Amino acid sequence: MYQVPEQHGKLAVVTGANSGTGKEAAKRLAAAGAHVVLAVRTPAKGEQARKEILAAHPGARTEVRHLDLADLASVRAFADGLVSDGRPLDLLLNNAGVMNVPQRTETADGFELQLGSNFLGPFALTVRLLPLLLTAPAPRVATMSSGTANRARIDFENLQSTHGYSPTRAYAQSKLADLLMMLHLADLAALHGWPLLSAGAHPGYTRTSLQTSGPTLNGGRPGLLESLLYKIVPSQGPEQGTEPLLYAATSPDATAGGYYGPRWAVVGPTKATALPRSAQDKTSAARLWTEAEELTGVSAADSIR
């Protein structure tokens, strides 16, 4: 099992920290001494997760704050709250997401839900928190992607999936977008000489509520093939599935632009993983970053002035 290095004195934000990989990441960061902000859409669920963490680690420093990545106003309020606190942010773990929503659904800002929740919301959060990240001595942004990104492409002409919506295709595109965001942030850090390390991870097939919560939105239900695959594909619990994200966020061996996942693709200990070819396209990464700035109204240049 991956051992999180000493984190005393560090401030960490984990999105989607009320369950699954997010809760496990928050628990292990807190156990290693970090002050962990559980950034959650439902504060009551966050408080329950916090109680579980404190029961296991009574001295843990944790707090719950509301964050809905499907609502840019919520993203701004969350980021403004941290900025007003003025404490440097050492670790940002972009973990939260939604998967395979059966019918095309829009966020509060009119974005396709999976693109908005999995990419545009985390993008806006990351950029808004850059001022705090860049005041930390060795900040990191670890972004959770998915193995589905391997078979995705960014359709710039249909980014919001307004034509021919497919739950799985929209999800895969959003997770490829996460990798391109991770890569471009690493390039920006290198270009500007920032001490920030941006890395990515994927959890393989980890058993969490992600596989059921998205497909059941709006009265939907997982398809027959999808349900069958969930039963026969090798899987692992959050304790193992969270490790690639924790590795990206804390390992001294993680590298800028690095990508980490299970050794055997869907299960196993963490290893460095090759980026999908589509995620290595720096021109697409830069184009998508610009598109995200225009859609969210959040600019890196404005954030770091």
Side-chain angles (χ1 to χ4, degrees):
M1 178 174 284
Y2 174 68
Q3 297 296 317
V4 176
E6 172 67 48
Q7 300 294 308
H8 278 89
K10 292 187 178 182
L11 176 65
V13 169
V14 182
T15 68
N18 61 282
S19 66
T21 55
K23 183 169 72 173
E24 180 67 16
K27 178 180 178 181
R28 286 163 71 173
L29 287 170
H35 181 137
V36 183
V37 176
L38 285 71
V40 299
R41 188 176 60 183
T42 308
K45 293 181 179 179
E47 291 293 349
Q48 180 57 44
R50 181 173 180 270
K51 288 180 182 178
E52 293 176 24
I53 293 171
L54 290 174
H57 305 285
R61 300 181 64 203
T62 59
E63 61 177 290
V64 175
R65 297 199 187 195
H66 175 255
L67 171 65
D68 184 352
L69 290 166
D71 184 347
L72 292 180
S74 175
V75 172
R76 179 170 187 167
F78 176 87
D80 285 351
L82 284 177
V83 170
S84 68
D85 291 346
R87 182 175 174 182
L89 177 59
D90 299 278
L91 307 174
L92 171 60
L93 279 66
N94 287 318
N95 165 80
V98 63
M99 176 181 180
N100 294 353
V101 178
Q103 297 177 348
R104 188 182 182 280
T105 305
E106 293 188 349
T107 69
D109 305 284
F111 305 137
E112 186 276 314
L113 182 60
Q114 295 185 89
L115 186 77
S117 298
N118 298 347
F119 168 58
L120 291 172
F123 170 86
L125 177 67
T126 301
V127 174
R128 286 193 179 280
L129 291 178
L130 274 177
L132 292 184
L133 287 161
L134 296 180
T135 57
R140 292 198 189 189
V141 177
T143 300
M144 185 74 96
S145 182
S146 164
T148 61
N150 290 8
R151 59 178 185 269
R153 70 182 184 91
I154 302 296
D155 187 350
F156 285 101
E157 305 307 316
N158 189 32
L159 196 59
Q160 303 289 345
S161 300
T162 51
H163 308 294
Y165 175 76
S166 161
T168 55
R169 190 165 59 241
Y171 177 70
Q173 177 183 240
S174 73
K175 302 314 283 185
L176 173 58
D178 283 337
L179 285 182
L180 291 169
M181 174 182 75
M182 178 277 290
L183 181 67
H184 194 66
L185 181 59
D187 285 347
L188 285 177
L191 177 66
H192 294 290
W194 300 338
L196 183 147
L197 187 151
S198 172
H202 79 87
Y205 182 17
T206 297
R207 297 182 300 275
T208 70
S209 61
L210 184 68
Q211 290 88 8
T212 56
S213 59
T216 57
L217 281 177
N218 305 322
R221 56 189 300 179
L224 181 61
L225 178 60
E226 193 176 8
S227 299
L228 180 62
L229 288 174
Y230 289 160
K231 294 178 181 179
I232 65 175
V233 173
S235 63
Q236 59 192 7
E239 296 79 9
Q240 185 72 59
T242 306
E243 294 200 346
L245 185 67
L246 285 169
Y247 188 96
T250 66
S251 173
D253 296 323
T255 60
Y259 187 39
Y260 305 94
R263 181 175 299 278
W264 299 290
V266 291
V267 296
T270 298
K271 75 176 187 71
T273 301
L275 282 168
R277 182 174 298 179
S278 53
Q280 300 176 34
D281 185 345
K282 295 193 175 187
T283 300
S284 289
R287 179 182 177 185
L288 183 65
W289 185 280
T290 299
E291 185 80 11
E293 287 187 326
E294 292 176 354
L295 289 169
T296 63
V298 180
S299 162
D302 292 340
S303 293
I304 59 176
R305 281 178 180 172

